[in-house]
């Protein structure tokens, strides 16, 4: 899969990149929501977006809403340290497909991506 990783924390973004590449995926990195949206506006092929929630310029809610308005079929996974305290309505309203809480496990990332890859594959066939 081609995966866009959006996170303003260089260490988290690099860790996600390394995990996803280890799983055989292609990774595009953006250090904030605005840059992530710019990549998508350029029509760079993306099968999945992993985005942090708390970021400058555009936060994860704004990124998810922007994506779902233009590409409702593109899965968006929110990665956040606030996972347990998120309002379920806000999650639905933003169009977030899944939430991964920080700190995350390597296998949790790979399992989530594999699950979404199967869903995307089924939707395309």
């Amino acid at each position: 899969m081609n995966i866009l990783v959006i996170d303003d924390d260089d260490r988290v973004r690099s860790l996600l990149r390394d995990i996803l590449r280890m799983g055989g995926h292609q990774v595009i990195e953006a250090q904030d929501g605005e840059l992530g949206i710019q990549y998508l506006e350029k029509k760079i092929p993306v099968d999945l977006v992993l985005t942090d929630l708390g970021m400058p310029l555009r936060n994860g809610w704004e990124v998810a809403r922007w994506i779902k308005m233009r590409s409702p079929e593109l899965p968006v996974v929110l990665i956040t340290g606030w996972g347990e305290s998120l309002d379920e309505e806000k999650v639905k309203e933003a169009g977030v497909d899944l939430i991964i809480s920080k700190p995350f496990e390597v296998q949790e990332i790979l399992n989530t991506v594999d699950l979404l890859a199967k869903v995307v594959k089924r939707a395309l066939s």
Side-chain angles (χ1 to χ4, degrees):
M1 292 181 72
N2 292 323
I3 302 171
L4 174 59
V5 173
I6 307 171
D7 199 307
D8 61 321
D9 185 324
D10 294 340
R11 294 167 301 161
V12 173
R13 197 174 61 252
S14 295
L15 177 61
L16 286 167
R17 177 199 62 221
D18 293 346
I19 291 169
L20 294 167
R21 285 184 178 162
M22 182 177 71
H25 303 286
Q26 301 295 315
V27 180
I28 303 156
E29 298 178 64
Q31 65 263 26
D32 60 57
E34 187 63 37
L35 184 57
I37 286 173
Q38 287 175 17
Y39 285 142
L40 294 168
E41 284 177 330
K42 292 178 184 175
K43 306 286 189 219
I44 293 174
V46 172
D47 302 307
L48 169 65
V49 176
L50 301 178
T51 183
D52 185 24
L53 175 56
M55 297 180 291
L57 303 180
R58 291 206 194 201
N59 64 35
W61 298 125
E62 294 167 313
V63 170
R65 278 190 212 97
W66 187 94
I67 290 169
K68 292 302 182 171
M69 295 275 294
R70 287 152 184 86
S71 301
E73 73 289 345
L74 180 60
V76 177
V77 176
L78 192 65
I79 300 178
T80 179
W82 304 332
E84 297 297 319
S85 62
L86 292 178
D87 179 356
E88 212 172 292
E89 270 307 303
K90 195 165 188 174
V91 171
K92 262 175 136 172
E93 176 189 303
V96 171
D97 295 289
L98 289 172
I99 297 171
I100 295 176
S101 294
K102 291 178 186 173
F104 51 78
E105 299 289 326
V106 170
Q107 200 55 52
E108 180 182 15
I109 297 295
L110 293 173
N111 289 345
T112 300
V113 170
D114 287 346
L115 171 71
L116 289 170
K118 290 175 188 169
V119 170
V120 167
K121 195 179 215 179
R122 268 186 253 140
L124 293 175
S125 42

